[in-house]
Amino acid sequence: MQEDNFSKDSRVHKEANSKIAASNQTRMKCIDAFRGITIASMLFIENPGNYEHVSSSFVHAPWDGLTWADYVFPFFIFIAGTVIPNSVRRRMDKGQSKLKILIHILHRAAVLFLMGLFLNGFPAFNFSAIRIPGVLQRIAVVYLVAGILVLWTNAFIQGAISIFILVIYYLMIKYISVPGYGPGILAKDGNLVQYVDMLILKGHLYTSTWDPEGLISTIPAISTILFGVIGGQVLLSERLKSINKIGYLIISGVISMVLGTMAGKYIPINKDLWSSSYVLYTCGAALIILGVCYLILDVIGYSTVFKPFLILGSNPIFIYIGFHLVSKTLWVLQVPDKAAGVNLPLNLYLCNKLFTPWAGNINDSYYFSIAYTLLWVLIVLIKDSLLYRGNV
């Protein structure tokens, strides 16, 4: 007997709903937890109570080398890549065309870029000297490229493009001659990255002569996000068992870190240059952390200790914007300290009054940073609670 139209439409509707439900379930706790760990690191590192009491491990390396602070930005970009395959799949399961998904990617990239410009200009908005590059701007560019590649290529091609970019970038840095300096300059002055930024964006950089998120150094950051894309595809794979996913992530992470160490002999691990060795090493670390988080949270199912990170990881843009607005307003306010007879920045004043008396001059800044990070967990909880009540 031929199926009537009503039954057929009902069956198709149920199948579509089941696909969407299955796609929505692919959101994994490991990604939010890893992102939350990265956000917590940012809040802790970038908001010390007293800069004079901070260990060198918690500040960026002066040039070559790697500290905890130097992992934060590449981890953000890597995580941005891990969510792209799932996002694209969910939209495709809802019946959206590739063109419609591309428009969504373009819109999201534009919003991120404009938010970055807003934060750079706030509060003075001196457009004649506004810094054009930035963290959100770099994420916007690499997200756009990665999104397009996910739509029209597979994991093998994405991996090949990632390695190709790292090789080409290495050759550019080593062999393109900079006027007045020559080729292969890897010092802060005279390298290709600085030359191109000064040539195109002079007067709109982080400092008068340098920008850590410049034009040329954004090219290898595309490889960083593609590493994340491939990690995300491993997690989404229906052909791989959980134990295989963990193995692939951790083993490939170890291999990448080894390759990064080896590459460091030819081009130093350097965040400001976003060197090829830096990409390999930090992405290797990211793959290992992602694999461990997946094992603990999504396979074993243990999440108790990770709850603060899950809270932070589910609100990245809100926290990032709020964190920068606070840094540019509250922390620059001058508060009179009668005992010292001077005016102090608010964060230093609070650290001296609330933490130094019992923590001492060595650990006071760390306890301040921990308290500030926990404060953001509370802020997000309150924000989510208010939004939930508003939707009930």
Side-chain angles (χ1 to χ4, degrees), residues 44 48-50 53-58 351 355 362-372:
F44 180 89
N50 189 328
H53 299 168
V54 177
S55 167
S56 59
S57 300
F58 301 118
C351 184
F355 295 93
I362 297 177
N363 297 317
D364 55 350
S365 185
Y366 300 130
Y367 284 112
F368 177 91
S369 296
I370 292 171
Y372 182 74

Side-chain angles (χ1 to χ4, degrees), residues 26-40:
T26 57
R27 181 182 180 96
M28 296 179 180
K29 288 184 178 180
C30 61
I31 295 176
D32 281 338
F34 186 10
R35 183 163 46 209
I37 292 169
T38 304
I39 291 172

